[in-house]
């Protein structure tokens, strides 16, 4: 089994989303000890945004584009995705939605005529489906008893990943990281319990 681990937080390994995503990776490797992990760090300006050449290719199938710059970066990221059996994404919630680093990765991998086609019935994904685990950390709370803010991250990722064929999504979260140690610890415990319940051995 090949696991693609996408790390989105600018805080890297110090972030709650990274810690939670690493727990998911550990659970997966507990099931498949021989699994390999490909870490793709995109937070902290590690991944450039798409460029004009790439955008031209998206605009027209007949455009004369060069296979360098963002196109080459896109090819590499899509190959990583295609080669994976499981995807784990660790991401913070920024301003109620995905951080710009994750949006940049999405712009690279959601690519017309490469990972999706458009036909009379709409957009059709070209990638084979596989489990995608998304570990979310947020300063406020968007679900449960402390929910005080909307959530645009979960529905957006559900729709945009389905557009390329990834529909088997599983969300876990640590919420309220900015609401004090008591709420944070309760959220961490809740996330651990959710992981334990999901990864219970099948009878």
């Amino acid at each position: 089994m090949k696991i693609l681990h996408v790390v989105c937080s600018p805080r890297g390994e110090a972030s709650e989303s990274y810690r939670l995503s690493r727990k998911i990776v550990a659970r997966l490797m507990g099931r498949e000890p021989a699994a390999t992990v490909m870490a793709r760090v995109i937070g902290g300006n590690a991944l450039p945004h798409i460029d004009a050449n790439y955008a031209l290719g998206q605009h027209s199938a007949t455009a004369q584009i060069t296979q360098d710059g963002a196109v080459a970066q896109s090819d590499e990221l899509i190959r990583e995705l295609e080669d994976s059996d499981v995807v784990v994404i660790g991401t913070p919630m920024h301003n109620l939605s995905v951080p710009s680093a994750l949006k940049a990765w999405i712009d690279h991998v959601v690519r017309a005529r490469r990972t999706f086609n458009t036909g009379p019935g709409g957009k059709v994904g070209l990638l084979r489906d596989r489990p995608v685990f998304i570990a979310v950390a947020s300063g406020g709370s968007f679900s449960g008893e402390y929910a005080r803010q909307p959530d645009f991250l979960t529905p957006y990722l559900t729709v945009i990943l389905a557009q390329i064929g990834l529909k088997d999504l599983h969300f876990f979260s640590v919420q309220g990281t900015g609401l004090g140690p008591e709420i944070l610890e309760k959220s961490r415990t809740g996330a651990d319990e959710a992981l334990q319940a999901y990864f219970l051995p099948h009878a």
Side-chain angles (χ1 to χ4, degrees):
M1 182 171 70
K2 295 181 180 179
I3 303 169
L4 173 61
H5 184 197
V6 182
V7 181
C8 305
S9 176
R11 297 177 59 225
E13 296 184 9
S15 67
E16 288 290 337
S17 61
Y18 177 81
R19 293 191 188 103
L20 182 56
S21 64
R22 278 299 308 173
K23 289 179 180 180
I24 295 171
V25 170
R27 292 275 186 175
L28 291 167
M29 296 196 72
R31 285 183 172 180
E32 296 282 349
T36 58
V37 180
M38 164 63 192
R40 167 58 70 172
V41 177
I42 63 174
N45 298 318
L47 180 65
H49 289 272
I50 60 172
D51 56 23
N53 178 59
Y54 176 101
L56 181 64
Q58 294 296 280
H59 178 70
S60 170
T62 60
Q64 296 297 312
I65 62 172
T66 60
Q67 300 301 310
D68 56 9
V71 174
Q73 179 74 83
S74 172
D75 286 339
E76 180 180 356
L77 296 173
I78 292 171
R79 281 194 298 270
E80 290 175 357
L81 200 49
E82 290 175 326
D83 288 345
S84 69
D85 300 300
V86 182
V87 181
V88 179
I89 300 173
T91 182
M93 175 182 281
H94 285 174
N95 296 319
L96 313 181
S97 189
V98 298
S100 61
L102 181 52
K103 181 59 168 63
W105 182 81
I106 288 168
D107 289 343
H108 280 287
V109 302
V110 179
R111 182 170 154 193
R113 297 171 298 279
R114 182 64 177 82
T115 56
F116 74 92
N117 279 330
T118 302
K123 295 175 179 177
V124 179
L126 299 178
L127 300 185
R128 63 179 173 83
D129 199 7
R130 73 212 69 191
V132 180
F133 295 90
I134 301 171
V136 182
S138 62
S141 292
F142 55 85
S143 66
E145 63 178 303
Y146 301 107
R148 298 293 185 274
Q149 66 185 44
D151 169 21
F152 299 107
L153 180 150
T154 303
Y156 170 68
L157 289 179
T158 300
V159 171
I160 198 64
L161 293 177
Q163 182 175 309
I164 60 175
L166 304 180
K167 301 177 181 179
D168 186 12
L169 271 55
H170 308 274
F171 289 90
F172 299 90
S173 64
V174 172
Q175 303 177 34
T177 63
L179 300 180
E182 184 176 344
I183 292 177
L184 174 57
E185 193 55 39
K186 186 174 182 179
S187 185
R188 285 171 173 167
T189 300
D192 288 342
E193 290 172 349
L195 286 177
Q196 182 175 355
Y198 180 88
F199 285 100
L200 277 175
H202 297 293

